[in-house]
C-alpha cells in the first residue's frame, strides 16, 4: 500500500521480476489496504505509514482486529520516510512486524520479506 501510484507499480515490478513473488493487490490508501487484506489473505503486507483516508498504522490496527486466525500473525512491514524513533514507535504500537525506511533499499526489503514470508 502506497498513495503514490508510480511507487506501487515500480515496487510490484521489482518484486515480481524473478517470479518468486506474486503481488496480489495494490492499494492507494490504508482503507484499500485493509479491504485487500480482508479479502485476499496475503502472505505479507507492505504498508506505507502516511496515506490518505486511513494511515498505515490505522490500517494495521484494523487488519489485526479481523476475526480470523491469520490477522494476528500476518507479517506487515511498514514503509516510512520517518527514520526517527517516533515513526518506529508508531509502527510497533500499531502491531507492524517490521519497518523499512524510504527511499527503499531493495536488498533490505528482500531480506525482510525472506525473513517474514512463511514457507509453503
Amino acid at each position: 500500500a502506497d498513495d503514490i501510484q508510480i511507487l506501487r507499480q515500480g515496487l510490484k515490478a521489482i518484486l515480481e521480476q524473478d517470479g518468486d513473488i506474486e503481488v496480489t493487490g495494490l492499494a492507494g490508501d490504508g482503507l484499500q489496504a485493509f479491504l485487500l487484506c480482508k479479502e485476499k489473505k496475503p502472505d505479507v503486507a507492505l504498508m506505507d505509514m502516511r496515506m490518505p483516508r486511513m494511515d498505515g498504522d490505522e490500517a494495521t490496527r484494523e487488519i489485526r482486529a479481523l476475526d480470523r486466525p491469520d490477522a494476528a500473525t500476518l507479517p506487515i512491514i511498514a514503509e516510512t520516510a520517518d527514520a526517527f524513533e517516533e515513526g518506529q514507535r508508531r509502527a510497533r504500537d500499531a502491531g507492524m512486524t517490521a519497518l523499512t525506511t524510504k527511499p527503499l533499499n531493495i536488498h533490505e526489503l528482500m531480506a525482510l520479506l525472506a525473513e517474514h514470508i512463511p514457507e509453503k
Side-chain angles (χ1 to χ4, degrees), residues 32-43:
Q32 289 175 353
F34 164 70
L35 294 172
L36 276 170
C37 287
K38 183 177 178 181
E39 175 189 333
K40 298 202 180 255
K41 298 182 183 178
D43 293 329

Side-chain angles (χ1 to χ4, degrees), residues 63-81:
I63 292 165
R64 295 287 185 233
L66 288 171
D67 187 21
R68 62 180 205 227
D70 68 313
T73 59
L74 171 68
I76 301 175
I77 299 173
E79 299 174 3
T80 182

Side-chain angles (χ1 to χ4, degrees), residues 48-50 78-84 87 99-104:
D48 188 14
M49 288 295 289
R50 300 201 188 278
E79 299 174 3
T80 182
D82 183 359
F84 297 105
L99 180 135
T100 187
T101 57
K102 288 180 171 182
L104 291 177

Side-chain angles (χ1 to χ4, degrees), residues 11-25 43-44 46 106 109-114 117:
L11 186 55
K12 178 182 189 298
I14 290 168
L15 292 174
E16 292 185 334
Q17 74 185 358
D18 292 333
D20 295 335
I21 297 174
E22 176 188 0
V23 176
T24 59
D43 293 329
V44 66
L46 302 176
I106 282 299
L109 178 59
M110 296 307 281
L112 282 172
L113 291 174
I117 294 177

Side-chain angles (χ1 to χ4, degrees), residues 114 116-120:
H116 293 290
I117 294 177
E119 300 240 355
K120 293 197 175 196

Side-chain angles (χ1 to χ4, degrees), residues 84-98:
F84 297 105
E85 179 58 33
E86 171 64 19
Q88 294 173 14
R89 185 192 56 74
R90 276 184 63 206
R92 279 192 311 272
D93 289 352
M96 293 183 172
T97 311

